[in-house]
Amino acid sequence: MLQTLESTESVRTTDAHHSAARRTVGSIETTLTRTVPREFVHRAAVAEVFLTGIRQLSDEQFTVTAQWPRGHSFYGSVHGRYDPLLIAETIRQVGALLSHTVFDVALTHKFLLWDLNYTALPEGLVMDSAPADLELSVTCTEIRRRGNRLAGLRYEATIRHAERIIATGGASFTTTSPEAYRRLRAARLESSTGPVLPGASELPQLVARTSPFDVVLSPTEQTGRWQLRVNATHPVLFDHYVDHVPGMVLLEAARQAAHAIGSQDRPVLPVTLDSTFHRYAEFDTPCWVDAEIIDTDATSPDACTVRITGRQDGETVFTTTVGLTALNPTPMV
């Protein structure tokens, strides 16, 4: 884009010319949109970075900007709307960005996500002819420190597109040093046999997917129960090396399980999600995912709430509730 500053005419180069060019370049750069550094949101691929900037308003309040692509290899269009799981990933990235840019958390530190939630307005997720440029109003509601170091953070976000609120949500996490993390995980990792091979895929159409490669559930003989299907080569769900199953994989498992038992062969959107993570999901032992419908609204037969529980080695790994709303497909503009 900066090539437009280059003249096609032969001109005499002077100090004044260089000075004016530098000013022009500087003014253009302030208007350009770019992603934040990938390291600040714990991503290896630049294509998986959705945040574009941050501005501090006070010690607890911030404005974060983001952009959602109209086409994504995994978080694709859902009946002409942005995939609501983009909200979850955007909120997750906000926490990492705040930690590294505002609270000076070292890039080598480890993050433990404890909970994440969102509520979306279906009409606000409808795609139009351009990527969605977003503004997030972020408030840190709990800042925990250990000495001068950030130990944990809870934050809430209101997401706007074209000055219109389209979603709200929040999350909490704690941070730990590499040394403390190694002590915490050493015994488990030493005994681990590594990731098990992924089992057979559930039918993609049953879990709102088009390819078995993107399915994170394997069927069992019990209705409403699956085994978590971990494919550590997936370029989005496993964007970089980790020693446990990432939280976003568990959220995707919850979404897929909710769709399997709650969609009733209708196009549905996961408009609400509220998840709590209780412990690490390990690679080398089966994680069982159970789903049940816990609420239907008699006044709105097109909505239901599904509770999903993940268990491993007899312990609860995560619990999630997903609110599904049936909708009519909306064509792309």
Side-chain angles (χ1 to χ4, degrees), residues 14-24:
T14 65
D15 289 342
H17 175 80
H18 281 308
S19 196
R22 282 195 296 271
R23 287 196 300 272
T24 304

Side-chain angles (χ1 to χ4, degrees), residues 110-115 172-176 181 184 244 280:
K110 303 295 185 179
F111 285 59
L112 288 75
L113 184 66
W114 292 108
D115 57 76
S172 73
F173 63 88
T174 54
T175 70
T176 185
Y181 185 80
L184 176 67
H244 59 278
Y280 291 105

